[in-house]
Amino acid sequence: MTRMKKKYLEEVAPALMQKYQYKSVVSVGCGDCKDNAKALEAVIKDISAITGQHAVATVARKSVANFKLREGMKVGVKVTLRQDRMWEFLDRLLNVALPRVRDFRGISADAFDGRGNHHHRADR
């Protein structure tokens, strides 16, 4: 077992679980999905290919009139990664995918919300 994995399993994960009740989930919100079923299928296909595990659609829990959103509408995609699949995904992300991003200069700490979520926006 690598030192990083050992430290994570023995120290970091228990502290995070106790404080935030984190889960190992990769999710994508897709505003276009509520109106376009093909967009949802494309996102499911892409996230499944990226993670190596089948993705499932997520639905809105509440209706929000300002967003033309009704409870039960499909609004995103998620995959829960555990054990070795989670470690393999993280390794590929850090060592293969991110270094290949054109003009990549690192991930801004401001892009994280303090709860483990990274919010990528094209205008950043």
Side-chain angles (χ1 to χ4, degrees):
M1 184 181 315
T2 66
R3 288 180 298 153
M4 183 176 166
K5 184 175 180 180
K6 184 176 180 180
K7 182 171 179 75
Y8 174 81
L9 291 174
E10 292 177 359
E11 297 175 35
V12 177
L16 291 173
M17 290 300 289
Q18 182 177 6
K19 187 171 183 180
Y20 298 110
Q21 292 81 43
Y22 280 155
K23 296 177 179 146
S24 298
V25 175
V26 174
S27 65
V28 175
C30 178
D32 295 339
C33 292
K34 69 179 192 269
D35 301 322
N36 185 349
K38 288 189 180 190
L40 179 70
E41 290 172 20
V43 173
I44 288 174
K45 181 180 172 187
D46 291 346
I47 293 300
S48 297
I50 290 168
T51 61
Q53 189 169 309
H54 184 68
V56 295
T58 58
V59 296
R61 288 180 275 175
K62 294 182 184 178
S63 297
V64 180
N66 289 341
F67 299 135
K68 297 179 182 174
L69 184 67
R70 286 189 299 284
E71 184 178 344
M73 280 184 158
K74 294 180 180 178
V75 293
V77 173
K78 75 174 181 179
V79 172
T80 303
L81 300 173
R82 292 187 177 89
Q83 305 284 328
D84 290 339
R85 285 199 179 181
M86 185 268 301
W87 289 107
E88 289 168 11
F89 172 78
L90 184 61
D91 182 44
R92 285 193 314 264
L93 175 68
L94 297 177
N95 297 310
V96 178
L98 291 179
R100 291 183 181 184
V101 173
R102 183 179 299 179
D103 299 328
F104 180 68
R105 288 171 282 176
I107 298 174
S108 170
D110 295 338
F112 290 91
D113 66 2
R115 303 183 123 210
N117 300 306
H118 180 266
H119 299 276
H120 171 74
R121 298 190 42 189
D123 58 344
R124 284 191 184 186

